[in-house]
Amino acid sequence: MRDVLLVRFGEVHLKGQNRPYFLRKLVSNVRRAVEDIGGHVWLADSRIYVSQAQDMAQCIERVCKVFGVHSVSPAVEMDKDYEAIAAQCVEMMRGKTGSFKVNARRSDKRFPMDSMVLQRELGGRILEAMPHLKVDVHKPDHVMSVEIRDFAYLYVDEVMGVGGMPMGTGGRAALLLSGGIDSPVAGWSIMKRGVQVQGIHFHSFPYTSERAKQKVLDLAAIMGEYAGNMLVHVVPFTEIQLAIHEKCPDELGTVLMRRYMMRIAQRLAQKNRCQALITGESIGQVASQTMEALVCTDQVVDMPVFRPLIGMDKLEIMDIARKIGTYETSIQPFEDCCTVFTPRHPCTKPKIEDLIQAEQALDSEALIQKAVEETQSVWVK
């Protein structure tokens, strides 16, 4: 008898002939998540199992953050001996109060008792040992689960995972990563679909501090807990912002800045074999996120731009940020480049022809090329 984690997966079941590929990726990602704490990972009979971890609580936390994992149960693995199984069920229910039911599943049809008989007999043994409990098959307080496979697996608790698709099965994309609440949530949402995400951060030193840059790297580290690690490209953006501020109409400054960000992001994305860009924009949240402004920013790139938060309100986004662990870091009061040189009265309905005219005052190619060449790339783990 030994302690193991029983790991379930969801959408991977739907992949038909491609299922083995997705399962290999998922097993590899689970193995990577627990290898430094001694976890042994294997796949058998439509389940992933983890054993031998030095800290099982930490192991559960890590496995639940692996995209593709639906849920995790700390279980006892034991021989398929009915009397031993019954005794262990009683022991695992000891100290419980309220109602319960037994949920049995017999995958090994050679076991002499079918699922219904197991449920009835084990339930009776538990009631005999603990008559204060009540049986409730519809809404029980506790579920004593027994799975008969190559071994018998017994568990009571089920911890929900993040779900989604295994990392590395959905391509690669680049996230415009600020220090705010929205962009980490946007990146996480696309990562959940199996996409490997790189961050692109625009840093306006000395108007934005080193602590502001570190805040972004801290956010990337939190996101990396779900992805194993994360590559962040830090782009020097001060020169471009100063040029826009000095030579272009003030009310167009924010949208012009976003257009240059998108141009630079596309070049870095292509350089790093990314297939799409990701932003944290939501319609109408700020002046640069009106429908007209978004059309103007998309006009300068020709690769797909994913905006998973586009129809969400701020409270919904904040709830997700809290759930994934980025919120407390995002609200730290360090400035980012989007707050530098903000117009007093930004244009909310810009026209593309006006923006193109304003950009004639700038040596766009030289500014973009210099920013790309001076970009620093950092692996965050």
Side-chain angles (χ1 to χ4, degrees):
M1 187 167 62
R2 64 173 176 172
D3 293 330
V4 300
L5 296 185
L6 193 155
V7 182
R8 304 173 192 82
F9 39 89
E11 277 190 77
V12 172
H13 278 297
L14 307 177
K15 292 303 177 181
Q17 294 182 348
N18 292 322
R19 189 185 305 163
Y21 164 72
F22 287 88
L23 279 176
R24 285 195 300 271
K25 280 287 189 181
L26 182 55
V27 171
S28 175
N29 293 344
V30 172
R31 186 173 289 124
R32 182 182 60 193
V34 301
E35 61 185 356
D36 66 326
I37 55 174
H40 173 58
V41 181
W42 73 98
L43 173 69
D45 195 19
S46 298
R47 288 283 189 270
I48 298 172
Y49 300 91
V50 184
S51 67
Q52 302 176 6
Q54 299 160 8
D55 184 334
M56 289 302 280
Q58 184 182 21
C59 188
I60 292 172
E61 181 181 354
R62 290 191 182 187
V63 174
C64 285
K65 288 183 176 180
V66 175
F67 290 116
V69 170
H70 176 263
S71 64
V72 176
S73 289
V76 172
E77 179 189 83
M78 58 190 303
D79 291 333
K80 293 177 286 189
D81 175 84
Y82 172 73
E83 287 300 325
I85 291 171
Q88 184 62 32
C89 285
V90 170
E91 187 62 30
M92 293 175 73
M93 289 298 295
R94 197 173 300 281
K96 299 288 194 294
T97 59
S99 61
F100 81 101
K101 76 171 183 178
V102 176
N103 185 23
R105 179 176 180 181
R106 185 186 66 158
S107 295
D108 181 2
K109 303 305 180 185
R110 295 170 298 178
F111 192 76
M113 303 170 71
D114 65 24
S115 299
M116 294 299 292
V117 173
L118 267 175
Q119 290 172 174
R120 183 177 66 247
E121 295 298 321
L122 292 174
R125 291 287 288 268
I126 293 170
L127 279 175
E128 181 181 346
M130 286 163 281
H132 64 280
L133 292 175
K134 296 181 180 180
V135 175
D136 184 344
V137 297
H138 299 294
K139 294 183 179 180
D141 297 316
H142 312 284
V143 178
M144 179 69 245
S145 296
V146 178
E147 296 189 10
I148 306 298
R149 298 177 179 273
D150 293 336
F151 293 89
Y153 295 92
L154 284 62
Y155 56 91
V156 178
D157 299 318
E158 182 175 352
V159 184
M160 299 308 297
V162 291
M165 297 300 298
M167 180 64 62
T169 61
R172 185 178 297 171
L175 166 69
L176 278 72
L177 179 61
S178 72
I181 295 171
D182 301 342
S183 58
V185 174
W188 182 89
S189 299
I190 297 298
M191 290 164 63
K192 187 175 180 180
R193 303 311 304 159
V195 178
Q196 289 181 317
V197 172
Q198 301 178 5
I200 299 177
H201 175 62
F202 294 88
H203 185 51
S204 299
F205 184 82
Y207 299 98
T208 55
S209 66
E210 287 298 312
R211 294 181 70 184
K213 182 173 76 172
Q214 185 57 50
K215 171 184 171 181
V216 171
L217 297 179
D218 291 343
L219 286 169
I222 296 170
M223 297 173 68
E225 293 176 8
Y226 297 88
N229 50 45
M230 189 170 180
L231 181 62
V232 180
H233 309 286
V234 182
V235 181
F237 201 55
T238 309
E239 187 173 349
I240 292 176
Q241 285 188 287
L242 285 171
I244 292 172
H245 180 66
E246 293 171 359
K247 300 180 180 180
C248 299
D250 184 63
E251 69 276 7
L252 298 179
T254 301
V255 179
L256 287 169
M257 179 183 69
R258 294 293 297 176
R259 282 163 65 89
Y260 280 91
M261 284 182 173
M262 296 293 278
R263 290 178 173 115
I264 293 168
Q266 176 166 275
R267 294 203 188 182
L268 290 172
Q270 292 169 337
K271 182 179 179 181
N272 290 277
R273 295 183 293 120
C274 295
Q275 300 156 289
L277 301 177
I278 309 166
T279 76
E281 291 158 321
S282 171
I283 291 178
Q285 190 175 119
V286 294
S288 63
Q289 296 179 23
T290 63
M291 187 74 75
E292 293 84 355
L294 294 177
V295 169
C296 290
T297 56
D298 281 1
Q299 187 258 340
V300 299
V301 295
D302 53 21
M303 64 167 42
V305 180
F306 297 152
R307 294 184 170 95
L309 313 185
I310 197 69
M312 294 186 184
D313 64 34
K314 197 66 174 184
L315 292 178
E316 291 175 301
I317 299 167
M318 290 165 62
D319 285 343
I320 299 174
R322 291 188 182 96
K323 182 182 76 171
I324 68 177
T326 57
Y327 180 78
E328 293 299 327
T329 301
S330 290
I331 63 173
Q332 291 177 4
F334 301 127
E335 70 289 338
D336 61 38
C337 72
C338 294
T339 62
V340 179
F341 307 124
T342 302
R344 291 187 62 184
H345 302 288
C347 180
T348 59
K349 295 184 178 182
K351 297 180 179 179
I352 290 176
E353 54 268 27
D354 293 337
L355 294 164
I356 293 174
Q357 179 63 36
E359 289 170 352
Q360 299 304 309
L362 306 175
D363 188 348
S364 295
E365 180 56 34
L367 289 168
I368 293 168
Q369 186 61 32
K370 184 178 181 183
V372 171
E373 290 175 353
E374 295 180 357
T375 293
Q376 296 180 339
S377 299
V378 182
W379 277 105
V380 180
K381 297 183 179 180

